[in-house]
Amino acid sequence: MKHLVASFLILTATLSQGNAYTEAQLYQEFDARLLTDDEKRFLQAALALSGDYTGLIDGAWGRGSQTALERYATRELDNYDGTVPSFVAVFAALVLVFDIGIARTVRAVFG
């Protein structure tokens, strides 16, 4: 979990000029209003990559985006209680970063 928290802090620092989240904030309920449009687009892209989101990747966080995040949380959390903690959104975004890194590496190695 500490690696996830550290990765999130790095990710949020590089994605926006805003403040990084504290560990306590990662356990609070997810609130998309705290994200920039670019961060919301990034998260929408991650949810689309996971197969949970089929809407526009436009940075507008609506019912479709929230439902996709909840679907992701239901699948990934053992003790999901209907409240999506912020770290779940972070994890989805990190999966996208990891997958992009692998794809670039494979293309570089195998053309």
Side-chain angles (χ1 to χ4, degrees):
M1 179 58 67
K2 289 185 181 186
H3 289 54
L4 179 64
V5 171
S7 298
F8 176 71
L9 295 174
I10 292 167
L11 179 65
T12 56
T14 58
L15 287 179
S16 73
Q17 298 302 315
N19 296 326
Y21 295 95
T22 65
E23 186 172 355
Q25 288 171 317
L26 290 175
Y27 288 93
Q28 294 175 352
E29 184 173 0
F30 175 75
D31 185 354
R33 295 173 297 180
L34 302 176
L35 302 178
T36 66
D37 286 347
D38 286 340
E39 290 167 333
K40 291 176 203 171
R41 276 190 289 274
F42 192 85
L43 183 51
Q44 287 170 330
L47 291 168
L49 181 67
S50 71
D52 295 300
Y53 181 66
T54 58
L56 295 174
I57 298 175
D58 57 5
W61 195 265
R63 189 70 222 146
S65 300
Q66 187 63 33
T67 299
L69 183 61
E70 291 167 2
R71 188 176 305 121
Y72 183 85
T74 299
R75 187 179 64 253
E76 297 297 328
L77 292 179
D78 292 332
N79 58 351
Y80 181 62
D81 63 1
T83 301
V84 179
S86 293
F87 76 82
V88 171
V90 173
F91 185 73
L94 288 173
V95 167
L96 175 64
V97 170
F98 181 74
D99 283 347
I100 289 172
I102 288 176
R104 286 183 182 161
T105 302
V106 168
R107 278 195 304 272
V109 172
F110 298 105

